[in-house]
């Protein structure tokens, strides 16, 4: 099988390598001349056998949008675009509709695994027409981890379902990370009792109820920097967590841990908190409680 | 009526003044010679007519405890101790039992109103024997706000009930403050749309569903410092909020807003968050996401 | 002054009455023939002096939208539409733009006060051009509560600002209600100690830090039904709380108490919780803990 | 090595089997004659070689307390008691002190793994004197999972540290379960998009960021009952989660996801919510919003 791959950044580059290792022929395109295989999207399309398969692996939002719009001008009936980025599922409806105008098919693929995917394979959640999913199954099989197919790949539903599942996956991920982090902080705070914080996390890797891949990563991180001295408690978020909460709100689903996780990230990025200034001002007003003066 | 008042700090001093303004004779004792009326607790007891009434208004915990223990050595059958501080209700059981050994009575009185109580009167929630509550009603009537007695005073139950109600009052107070503070931050963040944040809070004072005394205080605070430029978002907590959550946990009562309020205060006091360091480290491990290096 | 008022339901009807009591001439239109003053929107427009002022007070969303679209076909340059419903602020941009095509002006007005507004007046937060706001100030003055104008009325900013402020107001309102409710549940659960739950809330009305209008309403509710025996713990939500959280998420503002309040409402409406089924199933899987069998 | 084991319930019985499979001689005692090896604690002590090792595996609280008190009357200098139950760490201080009076040593062992421990081994976190931990390492090695010792066992610190770590482990566990459960509910609610909820969880088992043992158990549970039709959303809690929050509160550590998890369990067990009755009553008071009448 021979596919096109648009976007050769951290993720795309690894995926090209893993695909080639699994005997999928890949022609890659990236705006960075140092890594691209062809000079333009047009050249990419020209290089592929029909019906074409093009996997788009670029940042969600405007960039994905512009790539798909440009592809829609080059591709023809029977071709297929797979969006493997972290697009919002509502974008998928728009893209599928645009491409359908010229008979081009669309699959959305949620891809999990980060930088470890090259070695471990990627967890895949896809949405789209069954016949197209079937057609590119060799690609999915190359990307997904070893083991039974249904433990690393799922055809979740029609267009949008793959990214929807990935969005929820990431919302869960936020809360899992926050859960370990709260436990870490409590152990770290009780150093009079807990004499080996990294060792405690390490020992949770086998036999316990909390064992997981994230736990293993936390153990690695603690081995590299046992007190997290080199790291600030500043945490970005890339969108899926927010969308998860918006979807939950839209559907009246209570998500207290996922929302707590994202709020903790928001706070982590604030120099100072307007809200807590207001609370400090209030306490001062009614109780004469001292406030901490800003410098 | 003539009572003793132990503790002439910010609260006690105001209460002495209000009591005297309402024709209650008050002999005050404080370890600070500049404000005390008598030289010692012993002198205070000697100065009062039997059966004595002594209102204790000192910091909760060890200080309240030591004052009540010392009083128990001076007082005699039929005397009464009122603990008006923010003691944990479980302390009341201990103090009542100690005093009961020599026939001394005990009332716990939750007192709300802060520095405004001198002028507005204090909201009072008391626990203890009905006959004793009745006996000192002139004191409660002097301290409580103008208006119907039952809108500023309540006999909540037996010993401990007054402080229990005050504890819950303060738990609610935490969440109310946090609610306004979250709204403040959202308005403050949307200055492209909201052109008058202080004016918006000011306009909520009449007619709206959110009008309250705390809102009025927030308006005052914003009039003094419309951007809270002089204040850091650093907020202490004095115990009752924590106890409220512990009681909730003990009794399987969900208190998501009260706990969120106290957690927000905890975070506000942290230089950096161990938990968020852990999350940052995790993101770096799986996704190669950049971390913010500590200085 | 003579204005048109579209929508004579619970809110609109009261507002017509209050306006007329304050010497504003009102011609009302409602699709319900029993309450309307005119037969159609066209008749309403015809009945008003130019430049016209029409206050729209119908349910937010599709109905408000259709009314404003229809009005746009009747009104002419210099006329003014005021949307006093609970529209999302983003709708205001759309409506202002539509009306501007024919030179019709637009003001969005957040209105708080519920069924009490007839008697107490309504808290008003408005957005739109200053000259138009000035022009209809007699209407705002008639609707707002007695007292200084700036304690019951605010011109928050341009179009959208009024509804934005109202949205945040309602988000705060959700959290305030939840705060009292959590305290109520804790007191209610500790009836061994708290012998007078309604009396405790009643006594908080004067002097305390937690006194507010909502507290007064809770006291009223407890006087009518001291154990809430006639009420189910089932709570709807009407949109503004959800939008507040979506705005907070969009702007990276942490709102833990507002979100906790809305999640509590979501849960209150569930027959059974899919999430808690999953937790029960998990505990059963790892610990052999008994699950409660569905009937 | 030959040890005594008190408590042959679900956990103790499995542990006896695993220990014997790993060539540890075990004499078990249980009040249930059907499973016990000896007739009394006295007989158990008599049956063991000095210095004795007795592992206590009975319900935390009063039962553990009474067993250790009774053992303290039988054991002699140099003997060792290991509490493998889920005791609160503060109990350990008390038990160690009691046993130390007669020279008996004490180790607290947090044990994770549930019913799967027999096959997989148990994750172990222990507190106590290093020399004693060393002495009974063959027991720990028999119980812990295959693999490197430090991935399934940790000597966390002095007495109390093992149970402290286990408490935090369980707090994390609560939040992890809640995280998956929230994601489950969102997927389950969006069945118009998500056509295969169990398949989605199944596919997350390899390659994804959220893969974990709990996820595997959720997959098993969904295989047994894909819609959780036989299960009610009713979830108990056994203490450690509550203690985690109390410790967090005591140490000013924010734990929003752990507390959200336990509050969700509290709510899951309520027939009706007093708090939400109060909110419903409030909405009715200010807005005339309909309440749902109790039957």
């Amino acid at each position: 099988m021979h596919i096109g791959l648009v976007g050769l950044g951290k993720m795309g580059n690894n995926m090209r390598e893993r695909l080639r290792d699994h005997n999928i022929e890949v022609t890659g395109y990236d705006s960075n001349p140092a890594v691209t295989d062809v000079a333009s999207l047009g050249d990419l399309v020209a290089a592929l056998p029909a019906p074409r398969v093009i996997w788009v692996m670029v940042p969600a939002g405007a960039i994905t949008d512009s790539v798909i719009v440009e592809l829609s001008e080059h591709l023809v009936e029977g071709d297929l675009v797979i969006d493997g980025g972290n697009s919002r599922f509502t974008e998928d409806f728009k893209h599928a509709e645009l491409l359908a105008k010229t008979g081009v098919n669309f699959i959305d693929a949620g891809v999990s695994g980060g930088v470890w995917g090259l070695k471990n394979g990627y967890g895949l959640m896809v949405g789209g027409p069954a016949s197209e999913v079937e057609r590119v199954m060799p690609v999915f099989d190359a990307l997904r981890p070893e083991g039974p197919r249904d433990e690393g790949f799922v055809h979740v539903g029609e267009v949008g379902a793959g990214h929807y599942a990935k969005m929820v996956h990431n919302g869960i991920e936020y809360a899992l990370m926050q859960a370990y982090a709260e436990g870490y902080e409590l152990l770290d705070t009780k150093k009079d009792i807990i004499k080996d914080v990294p060792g405690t996390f390490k020992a949770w890797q086998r036999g316990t109820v909390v064992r997981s891949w994230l736990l293993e990563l936390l153990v690695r991180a603690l081995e590299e920097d046992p007190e997290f001295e080199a790291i600030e408690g500043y945490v970005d978020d890339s969108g899926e967590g927010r969308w998860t909460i918006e979807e939950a709100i839209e559907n009246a689903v209570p998500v207290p841990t996922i929302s707590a996780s994202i709020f903790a990230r928001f706070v982590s990025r604030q120099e100072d908190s307007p809200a807590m200034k207001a609370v400090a001002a209030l306490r001062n007003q009614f109780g004469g409680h001292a406030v901490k003066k800003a410098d």
Side-chain angles (χ1 to χ4, degrees), chain A:
Chain A
M1 194 151 202
H2 180 183
I3 73 165
L5 177 58
V6 180
L8 298 166
K10 200 161 49 180
M11 284 292 283
N13 202 49
N14 279 349
M15 290 170 78
R16 179 172 57 176
E17 188 175 340
R18 185 171 174 97
L19 286 165
R20 287 176 176 168
D21 288 349
H22 288 70
N23 302 314
I24 304 289
E25 193 172 347
V26 181
T27 302
Y29 169 72
D30 195 282
S31 57
N32 174 2
V35 296
T36 194
D37 299 324
V38 290
S40 69
L41 278 183
D43 288 357
L44 179 68
V45 170
L48 297 174
R52 293 168 195 81
V53 176
I54 299 189
W55 186 295
V56 179
M57 203 69 201
V58 298
I63 299 181
T64 292
D65 204 49
S66 71
V67 166
I68 293 179
V69 168
E70 190 176 344
L71 283 174
S72 74
E73 294 157 7
H74 291 285
L75 296 175
V76 298
E77 186 161 357
D79 289 346
L80 169 68
V81 171
I82 304 173
D83 178 7
N86 274 323
S87 297
R88 195 166 186 166
F89 75 102
T90 45
E91 290 290 288
D92 297 328
F93 302 148
K94 198 179 70 182
H95 293 146
E97 193 179 10
L98 170 70
L99 294 166
K101 286 179 187 165
T102 49
V104 178
N105 295 302
F106 180 80
I107 286 176
D108 54 292
V111 177
S112 180
V115 294
W116 296 81
L118 171 58
K119 184 178 135 212
N120 295 344
Y122 301 89
L124 301 175
M125 303 138 247
V126 311
S131 57
E132 290 298 292
V133 171
E134 194 54 40
R135 179 158 82 90
V136 288
M137 193 55 79
V139 175
F140 298 136
D141 280 339
L143 288 172
R144 70 168 177 83
E146 302 287 302
R149 181 187 284 166
D150 62 359
E151 296 187 3
F153 168 88
V154 61
H155 180 197
V156 189
E158 296 306 307
V159 164
H163 279 144
Y164 199 96
K166 179 59 171 24
M167 176 193 75
V168 175
H169 166 283
N170 282 31
I172 294 171
E173 174 192 309
Y174 277 43
L176 298 179
M177 291 165 75
Q178 182 69 21
Y180 288 114
E182 292 175 11
Y184 168 74
E185 180 164 329
L186 187 48
L187 293 175
D188 186 62
T189 303
K190 289 296 280 190
K191 290 238 187 72
D192 54 330
I193 286 182
I194 303 298
K195 298 300 179 190
D196 187 359
V197 174
T200 300
F201 280 92
K202 185 162 197 177
W204 286 349
Q205 290 181 109
R206 292 174 188 262
T208 72
V209 174
V210 302
R211 65 190 191 262
S212 71
W213 188 58
L214 280 167
L215 178 73
E216 288 170 33
L217 294 183
L218 190 53
V219 169
R220 284 177 59 98
L222 285 165
E223 277 170 355
E224 292 171 10
D225 184 356
E227 301 273 352
F228 292 141
E229 285 173 337
I231 292 176
E232 269 193 36
Y234 178 104
V235 188
D236 273 315
D237 75 282
S238 52
E240 300 91 345
R242 300 187 187 203
W243 304 334
T244 307
I245 295 168
E246 287 173 14
E247 268 300 299
I249 291 287
E250 182 83 14
N251 292 281
V253 171
V255 287
T257 69
I258 298 175
S259 61
S261 308
I262 205 155
F263 293 151
R265 293 186 178 197
F266 291 169
V267 173
S268 83
R269 305 199 296 256
Q270 295 184 322
E271 281 290 316
D272 199 352
S273 161
M276 300 321 285
K277 285 180 173 223
V279 175
L282 273 173
R283 288 184 85 234
N284 177 256
Q285 286 288 334
F286 73 71
H289 299 289
V291 297
K292 207 166 175 180
K293 299 289 177 192
D295 298 331

